[in-house]
Structures are given as structure tokens and as C-alpha cells.
């Protein structure tokens, strides 16, 4: 484990390095926050959006939780979405799941009243809905992978269905929502939903 002094030293080295590359880096960044993407991802340490898609600093407005769930009754999720869309006016929302996700595994393999298992109940219930499809798959790895994809699509649906998003489209504010799955074993993102940029496209996809 690194000590506090070692962590602060690493931070100083990073800040100095940024200034060496671009003396105006912090001055520019401090002036405004204009993120281009609202990212709903998993808390897993291997899936930070800044590491997966090189973009200028400040691009991502990030919400992460176990299993990249957008729970429609969760005040934290709703506040992030509302702030991203109404205040920051981000033009794009991405839900990103990932293979080998501990949250998906927990939802598929156990059940208890511990907080992690209560949270992943959102995914557990979804797995029950897709029980037939999942059990037709030949092994557990494929079931977990498929569940990761189904979970992302379901969270994209949850977001599209909120009054926040419906009203945003109604007033003509540009906003596209889509889902990715990241494969931690090859570093690649895959698109698992259409790019949904209007209420019409959402209805075509979600029925
Ligand atoms: Co995860």
C-alpha cells in the first residue's frame, strides 16, 4: 500500500508534468466544465472512461456504481442524469458495462441481504426475465457475457424512459444515448444498442 506522502508525491509529479506539456492546462480547465459525454459505468478500477477513450481532460461527466445500473428510483442516478442533461447539456450519454464484471457475477451466482446483493438485485431480476435465453447458452462464461450485454441495454432503456430524457427530446435539445460493452481482456469497446437520438428512434427500438 502506498503511503499518503507517496500518493501526494505522485500527484505533484503528475501536476508538474501537465504544466510542462501545456503551461495553460489547469488555467484553461479551471475556467469551465463543458463535458461532452455523460458516462454511466461500473466502479471496477479497470474501466475508467479516460483510460478507454483518449479525449481532452474534462470530456466525461461520470457516474459509476457496481454493475453500471441506472436505477430509476435511485436519487443519485437521477440527479446525475438531470444535471448532465439540463445544466451541462451534454449531447451524449453512454452506458458502459464490461465482461468479467463482479456485479454481474454476484447477481447471477448469489443472493443475500448484504448491500452489494441488494444493489445487484436490479440485475438479478433482469436475469430472471431472460432466464430462458441465458440457460440456452452452453456455459457460464457465455451466460455472464450475455447478461452483461442485456444489462447495458436495460439501463439504456431505463434512461430513455425517464421524464428527464423524454422532455429533453420534446424540447428539441440534441441528445443521443447508447450502450457499450468493454472487454477487459482485449481493451476493446463494442456497441450493443443503436444510437438513440430521438423519441422516435427510442420507440422503434424499445417497442
Ligand atoms: Co463491473
Amino acid at each position: 500500500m502506498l503511503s499518503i506522502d507517496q500518493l501526494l508525491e505522485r500527484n505533484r509529479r503528475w501536476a508538474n508534468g501537465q504544466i510542462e506539456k501545456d503551461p495553460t492546462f489547469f488555467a484553461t480547465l479551471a475556467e469551465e466544465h463543458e463535458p461532452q459525454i455523460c458516462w454511466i459505468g461500473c466502479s471496477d478500477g479497470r474501466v475508467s472512461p479516460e483510460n478507454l477513450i483518449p479525449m481532452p481532460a474534462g470530456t466525461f461527466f461520470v457516474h459509476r456504481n457496481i454493475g453500471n445500473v441506472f436505477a430509476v428510483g435511485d436519487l443519485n442516478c437521477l440527479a446525475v442524469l438531470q444535471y448532465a442533461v439540463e445544466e451541462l447539456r451534454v449531447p451524449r450519454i453512454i452506458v458502459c458495462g464490461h465482461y468479467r464484471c463482479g456485479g454481474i457475477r454476484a447477481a447471477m451466482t448469489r443472493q443475500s441481504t448484504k448491500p452489494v446483493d441488494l444493489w445487484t438485485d436490479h440485475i438479478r431480476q433482469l436475469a430472471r426475465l431472460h432466464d430462458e435465453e441465458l440457460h440456452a447458452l452452453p456455459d457460464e462464461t457465455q451466460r455472464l457475457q450475455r447478461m452483461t450485454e442485456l444489462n447495458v441495454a436495460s439501463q439504456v432503456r431505463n434512461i430513455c424512459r425517464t421524464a428527464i430524457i423524454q422532455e429533453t427530446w420534446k424540447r428539441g435539445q440534441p441528445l443521443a444515448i447508447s450502450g457499450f460493452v468493454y472487454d477487459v481482456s482485449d481493451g476493446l469497446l463494442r456497441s450493443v444498442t443503436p444510437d438513440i437520438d430521438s423519441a422516435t428512434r427510442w420507440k422503434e427500438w424499445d417497442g
Side-chain angles (χ1 to χ4, degrees):
M1 188 179 74
L2 292 176
S3 71
I4 293 296
D5 283 342
Q6 286 169 318
L7 292 171
L8 292 175
E9 174 53 27
R10 282 186 186 221
N11 165 254
R12 271 192 295 273
R13 260 187 277 152
W14 168 77
N16 289 337
Q18 292 301 121
I19 292 167
E20 271 168 35
K21 275 188 277 178
D22 173 9
T24 67
F25 180 81
F26 291 108
T28 309
L29 207 54
E31 256 172 46
E32 55 193 17
H33 184 207
E34 276 184 15
Q36 294 302 303
I37 298 171
C38 173
W39 182 275
I40 316 275
C42 183
S43 300
D44 190 300
R46 300 166 294 181
V47 298
S48 298
E50 295 85 353
N51 295 341
L52 313 186
I53 310 177
M55 296 292 270
T59 294
F60 295 101
F61 184 65
V62 177
H63 174 78
R64 292 165 72 183
N65 62 48
I66 294 171
N68 44 273
V69 171
F70 188 91
V72 290
D74 182 79
L75 189 56
N76 192 351
C77 289
L78 290 166
V80 164
L81 187 68
Q82 188 196 358
Y83 191 74
V85 170
E86 294 181 8
E87 307 280 332
L88 299 169
R89 300 175 76 86
V90 297
R92 178 172 287 292
I93 298 169
I94 292 174
V95 177
C96 185
H98 67 103
Y99 295 143
R100 302 178 197 228
C101 177
I104 298 284
R105 176 173 288 280
M108 301 281 282
T109 57
R110 48 181 234 207
Q111 201 165 4
S112 83
T113 52
K114 286 184 182 175
V116 170
D117 292 323
L118 293 177
W119 176 253
T120 54
D121 227 27
H122 295 292
I123 304 169
R124 199 169 289 108
Q125 286 171 22
L126 187 65
R128 287 201 191 106
L129 287 178
H130 295 277
D131 196 49
E132 211 173 309
E133 177 188 349
L134 291 166
H135 279 91
L137 293 168
D139 58 48
E140 197 193 20
T141 304
Q142 289 187 46
R143 278 194 283 280
L144 292 170
Q145 291 197 352
R146 182 63 187 140
M147 194 53 222
T148 301
E149 297 158 6
L150 290 168
N151 181 47
V152 166
S154 173
Q155 306 315 327
V156 168
R157 276 193 190 91
N158 286 346
I159 292 171
C160 291
R161 287 171 182 168
T162 60
I164 298 164
I165 299 303
Q166 293 295 320
E167 282 159 20
T168 302
W169 281 330
K170 206 178 283 177
R171 63 175 178 268
Q173 182 181 324
L175 177 64
I177 304 163
S178 58
F180 285 165
V181 166
Y182 175 71
D183 190 340
V184 288
S185 69
D186 67 12
L188 297 177
L189 289 164
R190 289 166 182 77
S191 183
V192 293
T193 71
D195 198 18
I196 304 155
D197 61 0
S198 67
T200 312
R201 294 208 65 179
W202 162 65
K203 276 182 205 149
E204 281 165 12
W205 176 64
D206 200 14

